Amino acid sequence: MTTQAETTLLAELTAIVSDLHSSGMEDGEAMFMLGAGADRLCTMRKSQNWAGFKASLGAPDIIALLQQIDAEGNASVQAEQGSQAYALRALALSLATINARQDVTKAGAALLDTVIEAALDNYRTKAKPAQGTVPN
């Protein structure tokens, strides 16, 4: 990742981390979508947590996921599903920082990953139907 690309990424990362900490984590729908999205990705790789999921990815996997998330995010924006688009943006930023070199970018990514882990845990313990059950 070039220094210029990482600087641009850091600006986006800073904006979303700031938003999450100021009000975004209070948006139940966005946090549900973030947890559900992280769970879907973790389940694909049979990962117990977000950190394990990220560690399982190679460069081609990251690129493919970012392309898929971009397409889904654009579709969410078109469908006026703001919370879903917001959650997808957070997941994409987390994935895009995997190969960050600057300490400040790594620190911002760690903050974002903490929020994603919390949303994932919350989703799994409070919202995800248990296997073999039928949701009401």
Side-chain angles (χ1 to χ4, degrees):
M1 180 180 318
T2 67
T3 302
Q4 183 177 4
E6 191 162 334
T7 299
T8 301
L9 180 62
L10 177 60
E12 291 184 44
L13 181 62
T14 301
I16 201 161
V17 168
S18 176
D19 183 68
L20 281 165
H21 286 284
S22 68
S23 63
M25 289 189 301
E26 295 172 18
D27 182 340
E29 182 179 10
M31 291 300 98
F32 172 84
M33 298 303 283
L34 183 59
D39 179 65
R40 185 177 106 194
L41 292 171
C42 287
T43 300
M44 286 176 18
R45 291 279 181 152
K46 298 181 173 130
S47 297
Q48 295 300 311
N49 57 41
W50 186 246
F53 170 75
K54 285 178 62 173
S56 75
L57 299 173
D61 300 318
I62 296 166
I63 292 167
L65 279 170
L66 288 173
Q67 290 172 336
Q68 179 182 350
I69 290 170
D70 185 53
E72 288 181 27
N74 289 335
S76 295
V77 169
Q78 292 295 320
E80 297 182 6
Q81 298 170 327
S83 294
Q84 183 169 346
Y86 183 81
L88 289 167
R89 180 175 173 231
L91 294 171
L93 284 169
S94 175
L95 295 173
T97 60
I98 287 176
N99 295 316
R101 293 185 226 158
Q102 298 175 8
D103 289 341
V104 69
T105 306
K106 291 177 186 178
L111 290 171
L112 178 57
D113 287 349
T114 299
V115 173
I116 293 171
E117 286 287 2
L120 174 61
D121 289 343
N122 214 14
Y123 174 79
R124 286 179 172 171
T125 58
K126 296 183 178 154
K128 184 177 180 178
Q131 281 190 330
T133 63
V134 177
N136 295 334

